[in-house]
Amino acid sequence: MAGNNPTTTEYIQHHLSNLTYGQLPAGYERYDQTVLSEATWTMAHGPAEAAAMGFNAFHVDSLAWSFGLGVIFCWLFFSVAKKATTGVPGRLQNFIEMIVEFVDGTVKDMFHGRNPLVAPLALTIFIWVFLMNLMDLVPVDLVPRILELVGVGYQKIVPSTDPNITLGMALGVFILMLYYSIKIKGIGGFVKELTMHPFNHWAFIPVNLFMELVGLLAKPFSLGLRLFGNMYAGEMIFILIAVMYSAGLFFGLFGGLLQVGWAIFHILVITLQAFIFMVLTVVYLSMAHEDH
Amino acid sequence: MNINYTLIGQMIFFAAFVLFCMKYVWPPLVSALAEREKKISDGLAAADRASKDLELAQKKAMDELREAKAQAAELIEQANKRSNQIVDEAKEVATQEGERLIVAAKAEIEQEKNRVKEELRAEVAVIAIAGAEKILGSSIDANKHSELLDKLAAEI
């Protein structure tokens, strides 16, 4: 934390800052008044330095948690898949199979093309996003406080509250959409879809192009920003509730009650958001596969 | 809230995890599920078939039982008939044998009677001569009176 007794604003800002590693530009005056003679890769010390790094930075915490949770997903499912028996399944296998069947059923309902990528993609998105969202239920101060004791200044443990993470996944989906649109319809077919719909006349090509491009670009951005917005808002409410703990016994107890309530409600939100991300991905890919 | 290299990093992770899932996680799980589904449907079909087989076997067993019963009844009837026949035959044989025995006995009796008669005849002459001798008090020459004696014997 910034100091021993941070103000509410400082506390909130601290919780919203990522642990950033990036390149500070030459001539930048750091927090300890040293002036950099040349561009330097270093850990950011505070939000101002992180902002000064611009695009040349990594959110170490987001990437680490996201990678770790992805590895947990892969390890869990791989360990079950490796020993999957066709006989009577154990409890864990049963649980995993339930998820797989749920995802498979959802994909089969919505995606009518033939593509071996879509179902595993949907499963990965569903479980990975769910796990990332799940970190939201960990009390907001727990992990940052523990890491602060070992000298790590900033920590955001919910990767899906970082727009880089959600937009990164959305852009991945967008690339797949473009790839399959071109692969299935051909470049000509894809261009025709962008220019000849919804008004099938050459005079309307600019109008069509504008509308279709907006529609096309809106898909990945809405996909990424929806998840980010929901998780960010949820995290913000947890932080605001946590602020109440410093306001005396009465507010502390009230805050505890609120946190339990919000956490229970949030279980629904995180599952729903993971499911929505998965479903929209499948729908967008399904649209990319549709040949007119 | 800065957009930076994290975006690229996340895209790389995303691709890696999706590829891993597609290669090593999804196929074995789905094939295990499909295989189990097939196993279960096969099992159900087999159970169906088995119950149908059982029904058929039961029907066949009933039929065979009925046939066997009919056969047994027929056999018993035949046996009864045969036994009656045997008894009848035996009765007939016995009757014939009895009759034959009776005839034989009668013949024997007749024969014996004749023999006895013959003997008697032979002896009558002697007895008659002896009687006459006693009456007359002298011997009688049998040869002389043989005609008479033969006549007497023939009368017996």
Side-chain angles (χ1 to χ4, degrees):
Chain A
M1 258 178 233
N4 280 337
N5 285 311
T7 64
T8 304
T9 318
E10 276 171 351
Y11 176 79
I12 293 172
Q13 197 169 34
H14 181 264
H15 268 292
L16 295 180
S17 298
N18 284 104
L19 182 68
T20 311
Y21 178 77
Q23 188 189 40
L24 283 171
Y28 182 79
E29 190 187 320
R30 297 207 65 182
Y31 66 102
D32 50 1
Q33 274 88 43
T34 54
V35 177
L36 296 167
S37 55
E38 57 190 54
T40 317
W41 283 90
T42 179
M43 296 301 295
H45 204 278
E49 284 195 10
M53 286 169 180
F55 194 78
N56 293 328
F58 294 96
H59 288 162
V60 180
D61 47 1
S62 291
L63 282 174
W65 285 100
S66 139
F67 182 73
L69 293 167
V71 166
I72 287 175
F73 154 69
C74 283
W75 169 78
L76 181 68
F77 277 66
F78 180 64
S79 67
V80 170
K82 211 170 44 178
K83 293 181 291 190
T85 63
T86 55
V88 179
R91 269 185 214 179
L92 182 62
Q93 194 189 340
N94 207 353
F95 175 66
I96 299 293
E97 280 178 1
M98 213 173 72
I99 297 171
V100 168
E101 279 198 313
F102 169 70
V103 172
D104 199 31
T106 311
V107 170
K108 273 183 184 146
D109 278 348
M110 280 179 290
F111 186 82
H112 300 296
R114 278 177 155 272
N115 193 335
L117 174 75
V118 175
L121 174 77
L123 177 71
T124 309
I125 286 177
F126 184 50
I127 301 301
W128 195 19
V129 171
F130 175 77
L131 288 175
M132 291 197 286
N133 291 352
L134 190 65
M135 300 311 292
D136 217 356
L137 296 182
V138 177
V140 284
D141 271 321
L142 184 65
V143 178
R145 200 57 185 234
I146 291 169
L147 285 172
E148 205 175 0
L149 292 178
V150 296
V152 180
Y154 295 91
Q155 193 69 214
K156 267 176 84 176
I157 64 163
V158 193
S160 49
T161 58
D162 184 342
N164 288 295
I165 297 296
T166 61
L167 285 174
M169 294 177 82
L171 281 179
V173 172
F174 186 57
I175 290 169
L176 285 175
M177 280 163 64
L178 294 181
Y179 172 72
Y180 283 115
S181 286
I182 291 169
K183 191 184 169 193
I184 303 286
K185 300 161 194 163
I187 292 189
F190 188 43
V191 169
K192 203 177 158 200
E193 190 182 86
L194 290 178
T195 52
M196 290 303 190
H197 290 273
F199 306 111
N200 195 0
H201 190 274
W202 60 267
F204 281 102
I205 284 178
V207 179
N208 289 338
L209 192 62
F210 174 72
M211 287 170 74
E212 287 290 319
L213 275 182
V214 168
L216 188 68
L217 291 176
K219 284 174 188 168
F221 282 101
S222 65
L223 188 63
L225 288 177
R226 175 183 301 106
L227 179 60
F228 162 70
N230 274 284
M231 288 305 111
Y232 190 76
E235 175 79 347
M236 187 62 113
I237 289 176
F238 277 122
I239 294 170
L240 290 176
I241 290 169
V243 169
M244 294 176 79
Y245 294 139
S246 57
L249 183 66
F250 173 73
F251 277 107
L253 288 176
F254 184 58
L257 206 66
L258 276 181
Q259 181 166 358
V260 170
W262 182 242
I264 290 170
F265 176 66
H266 216 58
I267 292 173
L268 186 71
V269 174
I270 61 175
T271 317
L272 194 65
Q273 286 306 320
F275 180 66
I276 288 173
F277 202 108
M278 173 186 89
V279 167
L280 285 178
T281 301
V282 175
V283 168
Y284 291 160
L285 284 178
S286 173
M287 284 160 81
H289 280 73
E290 263 169 27
D291 205 350
H292 295 288
Chain B
M1 290 267 291
N2 314 308
I3 297 294
N4 51 35
Y5 281 134
T6 313
L7 187 82
I8 315 284
Q10 177 70 6
M11 281 169 78
I12 293 165
F13 289 166
F14 185 46
F17 289 137
V18 169
L19 282 179
F20 181 85
C21 181
M22 191 169 105
K23 259 213 146 87
Y24 300 108
V25 173
W26 190 262
L29 279 173
V30 167
S31 74
L33 281 174
E35 217 166 295
R36 185 177 316 131
E37 211 168 284
K38 193 174 169 300
K39 241 173 148 178
I40 290 172
S41 74
D42 282 1
L44 286 177
D48 241 25
R49 214 168 327 121
S51 77
K52 221 168 263 170
D53 281 359
L54 180 66
E55 213 171 283
L56 276 178
Q58 268 173 346
K59 210 184 238 174
K60 204 173 162 196
M62 288 278 253
D63 282 357
E64 236 148 69
L65 200 64
R66 201 173 307 127
E67 208 173 304
K69 266 184 187 163
Q71 242 171 14
E74 201 179 321
L75 277 179
I76 288 170
E77 206 176 319
Q78 267 179 0
N80 274 341
K81 229 185 246 171
R82 180 93 185 100
S83 74
N84 282 345
Q85 206 178 343
I86 287 171
V87 168
D88 285 352
E89 271 173 20
K91 264 187 193 161
E92 203 169 313
V93 168
T95 316
Q96 278 173 0
E97 183 70 12
E99 275 169 11
R100 198 179 59 75
L101 281 176
I102 290 170
V103 169
K106 271 185 182 165
E108 207 170 321
I109 290 166
E110 193 71 21
Q111 215 174 343
E112 193 74 2
K113 204 168 90 184
N114 288 344
R115 198 177 55 81
V116 169
K117 264 187 188 168
E118 225 36 62
E119 248 170 55
L120 215 55
R121 260 186 210 130
E123 258 163 56
V124 159
V126 181
I127 294 167
I129 289 170
E133 269 177 356
K134 278 202 180 130
I135 296 164
L136 295 173
S138 66
S139 74
I140 295 165
D141 189 354
N143 290 332
K144 278 182 186 166
H145 305 288
S146 62
E147 199 181 333
L148 186 75
L149 287 170
D150 284 344
K151 238 188 206 163
L152 190 68
E155 270 170 31
I156 296 169

